[in-house]
Amino acid sequence: MTSREATQYLPRSDAESWPEDVRRSPADIAHLIAFGAIGWPWLLRSLSGGSKAEKARLLDRLDLPADALPNLGSWKADTGFLHLIVDHIFEHRPENVVELGAGASSLIIARALQKAGNGLLTSCDQHADFVEATRKWLNENGVEADLKATPLGRPPGDWPGIWYDHGPLPSQIDLLVIDGPPWTIHPYVRGAAESLFDRIPVGGTILLDDGARPGERVIARRWRKRWPNFEFRLVHAGTKGTLIGTRLR
């Protein structure tokens, strides 16, 4: 299965990939229940992956066939976020792109880099079967990427939940796209992506999908305090917003 197929409303369960030496605390469970209760408006908005016209325009920009993205919406990236990625790649031509959470965005990033004439995508996802199916999907569309089946382990720093045990990644990351792990692990789970911020050069960029959700707003506040050498701003290009971070110094 890849994100080109129709999928369930909520993200795929991570129960099987949860490390044995990490346990959810009562506070973690309480956060998950509370943010699930207040986050339903964003979950409802996510049912729309974008209009047919915007999907057609996206595929036309990248010279992809009309059936390349048959199913968007639910937990998958929407056309607003995907257009934002393409805009950035065409304008800035990053050499190294790292993506956390593979799927439709992997196809779009890899194809945009190909059209831009340079750049390598490294993508991490915790589901090995999903990674392999996504790799075949990209190959069918004439693009390649370094897709890594990445186990989950203890998070870095003081972030809750679990995090990608990603191993070696590029020492310089010009564009970091954060679309995983899912909020069903913990509302603040994506905050641990800051463990890669030191690899981002001046002028490099972070794109955090779902940036308008309550959990991601908490993450953004923490990042602004901890990383004053970055400028963070929330834009509403998609159904759930995108937090854009740019390294200033």
Side-chain angles (χ1 to χ4, degrees):
M1 182 198 75
T2 67
S3 54
R4 64 179 167 182
E5 281 82 38
T7 54
Q8 69 271 17
Y9 176 46
L10 291 175
R12 182 173 172 178
S13 172
D14 286 295
E16 293 182 359
S17 53
W18 197 283
E20 293 183 358
D21 62 338
V22 180
R23 292 289 182 268
R24 277 192 172 117
S25 70
D28 289 344
I29 296 172
H31 271 84
L32 187 61
I33 294 171
F35 278 80
I38 65 176
W40 64 267
W42 288 271
L43 293 175
L44 288 178
R45 290 174 197 166
S46 71
L47 291 176
S48 171
S51 69
K52 292 182 179 179
E54 283 303 301
K55 184 191 293 187
R57 186 169 73 87
L58 176 68
L59 296 175
D60 185 63
R61 294 179 72 185
L62 297 174
D63 295 323
L64 286 170
D67 62 350
L69 292 175
N71 292 287
L72 292 177
S74 67
W75 50 267
K76 298 182 286 291
D78 60 37
T79 55
F81 184 57
L82 297 175
H83 273 294
L84 195 63
I85 291 172
V86 175
D87 291 342
H88 182 89
I89 290 174
F90 283 1
E91 179 178 355
H92 298 280
R93 299 179 182 273
E95 293 184 11
N96 287 305
V97 180
V98 170
E99 175 190 42
L100 304 175
S105 53
S106 307
L107 172 64
I108 296 303
I109 294 169
R111 180 59 172 162
L113 290 172
Q114 186 183 66
K115 293 280 288 182
N118 72 310
L120 171 68
L121 168 64
T122 304
S123 181
C124 300
D125 195 275
Q126 63 268 40
H127 300 292
D129 57 338
F130 185 83
V131 167
E132 183 57 31
T134 301
R135 182 181 292 111
K136 292 179 181 177
W137 181 25
L138 267 61
N139 291 341
E140 289 170 7
N141 284 279
V143 295
E144 295 182 353
D146 182 11
L147 300 177
K148 302 166 73 75
T150 310
L152 296 168
R154 290 188 176 277
D158 57 354
W159 293 101
I162 48 181
W163 188 246
Y164 298 107
D165 186 10
H166 50 67
L169 288 175
S171 59
Q172 177 172 306
I173 300 173
D174 303 298
L175 174 61
L176 177 62
V177 179
I178 309 165
D179 196 18
W183 72 271
T184 48
I185 289 175
H186 193 284
Y188 308 159
V189 67
R190 295 180 184 179
E194 70 171 9
S195 60
L196 298 173
F197 286 6
D198 280 334
R199 305 188 189 205
I200 298 173
V202 172
T205 301
I206 300 156
L207 297 178
L208 172 64
D209 194 19
D210 311 312
R213 295 189 308 198
E216 277 70 16
R217 289 179 184 269
V218 173
I219 291 169
R221 287 198 295 271
R222 292 188 183 180
W223 284 354
R224 288 187 177 102
K225 291 180 180 179
R226 296 179 178 187
W227 298 90
N229 55 334
F230 282 79
E231 176 189 55
F232 293 98
R233 68 188 193 278
L234 178 64
V235 300
H236 294 278
T239 57
K240 295 164 289 184
T242 300
L243 183 72
I244 302 176
T246 305
R247 185 160 190 173
L248 303 178
R249 60 184 186 277

